């Protein structure tokens, strides 16, 4: 919760967050805290629920001057499915979070993004590694 809040408070328009981890690692929980923190940061009433986009693939949240795009690409199997989502176009002037980003990493040449890797240590503990493609030693800030 603390890391998601810190990262959300530093987020700016155009930021892309790729969140990787095995089932149960906490990707959606992390994302819920992140989105909740963005609503608070922007003084907007938080949604009653922040759901996982596992079945719809995308859920977007509108704030005053931008949107938060929350993708779950777990069920995607092809480049064509990825292209149909228009992810690259949505990144501009918004904040985008993508769970299960392996397919987008495989098929796209993304220029700039945060990479969050979550590992299960035990049932109560997770390891979170945060990197950025253009900021060296970014994870040292946490």
């Amino acid at each position: 919760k603390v890391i998601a809040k810190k990262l959300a408070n530093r987020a700016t328009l155009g930021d892309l967050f790729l969140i990787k981890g095995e089932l149960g690692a906490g990707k959606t929980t992390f994302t819920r805290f992140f989105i909740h923190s963005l609503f608070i940061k922007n003084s907007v009433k938080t949604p009653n629920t922040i759901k996982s986009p596992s079945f719809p693939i995308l859920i977007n949240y509108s704030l005053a001057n931008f949107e938060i795009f929350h993708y779950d690409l777990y069920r995607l199997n092809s480049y064509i499915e990825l292209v149909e989502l228009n992810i690259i176009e949505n990144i501009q002037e918004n904040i985008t979070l993508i769970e299960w980003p392996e397919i987008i990493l495989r098929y796209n040449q993304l220029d700039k993004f945060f990479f969050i890797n979550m590992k299960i240590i035990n049932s109560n503990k997770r390891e979170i590694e945060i990197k950025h493609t253009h900021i060296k030693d970014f994870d040292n800030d946490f």
Side-chain angles (χ1 to χ4, degrees):
K1 179 177 179 177
V2 173
I3 294 172
K5 182 178 179 178
K6 283 183 178 182
L7 197 54
N9 285 333
R10 291 180 64 162
T12 59
L13 298 185
D15 279 350
L16 170 63
F17 299 87
L18 305 182
I19 307 162
K20 184 179 182 227
E22 60 191 294
L23 281 172
K27 294 178 299 298
T28 301
T29 299
F30 177 90
T31 302
R32 283 182 180 130
F33 285 125
F34 185 99
I35 292 169
H36 185 266
S37 296
L38 281 176
F39 272 81
I40 291 170
K41 173 185 173 184
N42 287 278
S43 302
V44 177
K45 184 181 180 297
T46 58
N48 291 333
T49 59
I50 298 173
K51 298 179 181 180
S52 170
S54 295
F55 293 104
I57 300 175
L58 167 65
I59 297 176
N60 61 310
Y61 302 90
S62 295
L63 281 88
N65 300 318
F66 67 97
E67 291 188 73
I68 303 166
F69 289 92
H70 179 195
Y71 293 92
D72 183 325
L73 304 183
Y74 181 74
R75 296 183 304 123
L76 262 59
N77 295 309
S78 72
Y79 178 73
I80 293 170
E81 292 173 306
L82 184 62
V83 169
E84 289 173 352
L85 291 174
N86 294 321
I87 292 174
I88 303 305
E89 291 80 16
N90 290 340
I91 293 171
Q92 310 300 324
E93 301 303 317
N94 296 295
I95 294 177
T96 306
L97 300 112
I98 300 175
E99 295 182 48
W100 299 99
E102 291 82 356
I103 193 165
I104 197 166
L105 289 169
R106 190 175 330 130
Y107 290 113
N108 273 302
Q109 299 297 323
L110 298 171
D111 178 44
K112 186 173 103 174
F113 57 89
F114 291 87
F115 184 74
I116 302 164
N117 192 27
M118 305 182 82
K119 294 180 184 174
I120 298 173
I121 302 302
N122 60 44
S123 61
N124 296 317
K125 189 175 180 181
R126 303 297 187 261
E127 177 182 286
I128 301 174
E129 177 184 30
I130 303 171
K131 301 262 185 212
H132 189 278
T133 54
H134 289 63
I135 304 170
K136 289 186 182 237
D137 299 325
F138 177 81
D139 54 346
N140 290 338
D141 292 344
F142 289 86

